[in-house]
Each structure stands twice: as C-alpha cells, then as structure tokens.
Amino acid sequence: MRLVDLATHTSGLPSTARQYSKEKKARLEKEHADLGVRIAHYNRYTADSLLQDMHTFTLSTKPGAAYRYQNLDVLILQLVLERAYQKPYEQLITQFVQSRFGMKDTKRVLSAQEQARFATGYDETLRAQTHANYTGYWGGSTMCSTPADLLTYVRANLAEKEPAVKLAHQPAWGTSIGLGWMLDTDPDGQRRIFHNGHSIGFNTRCVMYPGQQAGFVVLVNEAISQTRVTEMEEYLKQELDRVATPAAKPGKAGKSVGRR
C-alpha cells in the first residue's frame, strides 16, 4: 500500500478503524445517545489505539484498485505525518495554514472561548447539536475555521504558489481524484476542484474554478443533503457568470458592446 492510495481513498481499508459486533455497536449507540458522552468516548482514542487496531485490518480490494471514500485513510496519513515531522498533527497543520496562508482562525482543537464562537448546528429534527470538539486522535484531520479564513484558503488554492497545492490539484487516481480533492467539470463543462464535508448538524462545500479564478464556500448549519448544497453552489456560479457577462448592448454603429 502506497501513501497515494491513502490520499486518494483507494487503499481498500475498512471504513472504520475499530470493528464492533452488532450487539456491542447497539449497546454503544444506546450509551452514547448523548453527543457529549460520545465525544468523550472518542477523545480517549490515541495513536497507540490506531496502531493496535491496524493489526485487525482486512483489505476489501487490492490497494489502488477501487475508490471508496472513508476517513480511516486520512487518519493513517495523520499518523505518517506525525512520525515524519516528529510533531503532533494538531501543531503541524495549524502552524502550516497560519504561516503559509495566514489563516489565523483555523485549527482543530478549540479553546472554551473559541468554542463559544462556534455556530450552532441542527439535526434532521432541528434540535441544536453540540460541536464535536475532538481533542483525541479520533478527530483526525477535522479542522475548525471561519468563512473569512476559508476564502483565504480558496485564494491560496487558486493561486497555486505552493508546489504542494498545485500537486494536490492534479489527477492522482483516474481523472476524478486528486490528493485530497475531487476533480470534475460543472454542467457548463468548466473544470472545478472541490470537496464536500459533513458533521452532525452541518454541511459544507468548498469549490474552485481555476479557469475563471473563482471559488465558493457554502456553509449550512443544518442536516440538509449534500446534493442540495451542491445545487446551491452551482446556482451561485451561474449567477456569477450572468453578472460578469451581461447581455451585449447595441453600439452607435450597430455593433455589440459587451462590458464586464
């Protein structure tokens, strides 16, 4: 198995690090009905827990053969980065985005003061949900940010000044998967780079259009479907195109005069 197999979600690994029997899973779900209790349980998961669980993994496919999105691949990449840089992932990633991109409001673990600023999410029944502030290893690559910081991130990705950023936008498995990014074209055939996100009470979408040097960040604090979030982004893109290139007006000599 290669690092690129992990980064493109083609590792063939199971969907979660720890496999439970149906009976134990049902018991845990009952015990962890309260989100706070569930978060506390997962915060006890460590790097050693992951290394121990890896001994039980069984591959469903040959690495690199099939795409299946899951968070375990990223959790293992987190472990690799920590070993390579000899630094906790939380420090490593936070320092990187702050120093390279100037994203001062982006980090994984929030303080009590920062937690108070976090938006309230709502589930399918419109019940307010506690933000899952993972402090343990299970939190993986989860990051907390602000709309302003995310737009800064979009600008950095469109600029592609960082070699790693440019590399991440290139096809790494087939033509539709980059390194941590999804690659396709919109209904109008324009190339786009995107990633969606979901957690309890929240849905997000971050997308860039390199050809138009345009990008969008859609943040929704309710359990709306990802399909609806994608439709919202595509509608905004259509509106941007319409405003940027309005219908041509006739000129004095009968010619069309366009304006941006």
Side-chain angles (χ1 to χ4, degrees):
M1 185 182 300
R2 304 166 300 167
L3 295 179
V4 69
D5 299 328
L6 296 169
T8 56
H9 299 284
T10 58
S11 66
L13 288 169
S15 57
T16 59
R18 185 160 294 180
Q19 303 296 315
Y20 295 109
S21 65
K22 290 184 178 179
E23 294 75 15
K24 187 168 184 178
K25 187 175 181 180
R27 179 171 62 81
L28 287 173
E29 288 179 352
K30 183 178 181 180
E31 293 175 353
H32 299 164
D34 180 89
L35 183 58
V37 174
R38 193 186 317 172
I39 293 170
H41 170 80
Y42 285 120
N43 279 344
R44 292 193 291 271
Y45 196 87
T46 65
D48 286 340
S49 302
L50 174 60
L51 289 168
Q52 181 179 358
D53 287 341
M54 288 175 72
H55 289 285
T56 67
F57 291 170
T58 300
L59 299 182
S60 59
T61 63
K62 179 182 178 181
Y67 170 83
R68 185 179 66 170
Y69 187 87
Q70 39 91 341
N71 290 324
L72 180 55
D73 289 335
V74 181
L75 201 63
I76 295 174
L77 282 175
Q78 171 182 313
L79 181 66
V80 172
L81 286 170
E82 289 190 339
R83 296 300 190 269
Y85 288 94
Q86 293 296 298
K87 182 180 294 187
Y89 179 81
E90 160 70 7
Q91 295 180 22
L92 182 66
I93 194 66
T94 301
Q95 290 173 5
F96 185 89
V97 298
Q98 289 184 356
S99 63
R100 300 296 182 91
F101 303 143
M103 298 166 63
K104 304 301 183 184
D105 262 335
T106 300
K107 58 193 306 187
R108 187 164 78 82
V109 180
L110 301 181
S111 65
Q113 184 179 9
E114 291 165 336
Q115 179 84 341
R117 295 173 52 199
F118 206 92
T120 300
Y122 297 89
D123 65 10
E124 293 84 353
T125 61
L126 296 183
R127 290 181 303 178
Q129 296 296 305
T130 303
H131 166 240
N133 192 28
Y134 291 115
T135 58
Y137 211 76
W138 190 264
S141 58
T142 301
M143 298 292 286
C144 302
S145 191
T146 62
D149 264 16
L150 289 174
L151 289 175
T152 295
Y153 186 60
V154 165
R155 285 193 291 269
N157 273 271
L158 287 171
E160 290 188 337
K161 292 182 179 180
E162 289 282 346
V165 170
K166 186 173 184 179
L167 177 64
H169 296 164
Q170 306 307 309
W173 189 80
T175 59
S176 60
I177 307 297
L179 298 178
W181 289 105
M182 314 303 174
L183 315 172
D184 73 353
T185 55
D186 73 356
D188 294 324
Q190 296 175 342
R191 176 176 173 248
R192 65 182 171 187
I193 303 165
F194 70 96
H195 205 296
N196 295 338
H198 168 77
S199 61
I200 299 175
F202 297 93
N203 279 285
T204 64
R205 180 172 171 83
C206 177
V207 58
M208 286 87 66
Y209 291 86
Q212 292 71 43
Q213 284 294 292
F216 300 87
V217 174
V218 180
L219 306 173
V220 182
N221 63 330
E222 64 176 76
I224 190 174
S225 71
Q226 287 290 162
T227 299
R228 292 292 304 279
V229 176
T230 298
E231 290 173 350
M232 185 184 304
E233 177 269 311
E234 291 179 346
Y235 172 77
L236 291 171
K237 177 61 167 56
Q238 292 173 358
E239 286 298 296
L240 178 66
D241 290 342
R242 183 182 64 81
V243 173
T245 56
K249 296 182 179 181
K252 292 183 179 179
K255 298 181 180 180
S256 295
V257 179
R259 61 186 177 86
R260 294 183 67 83

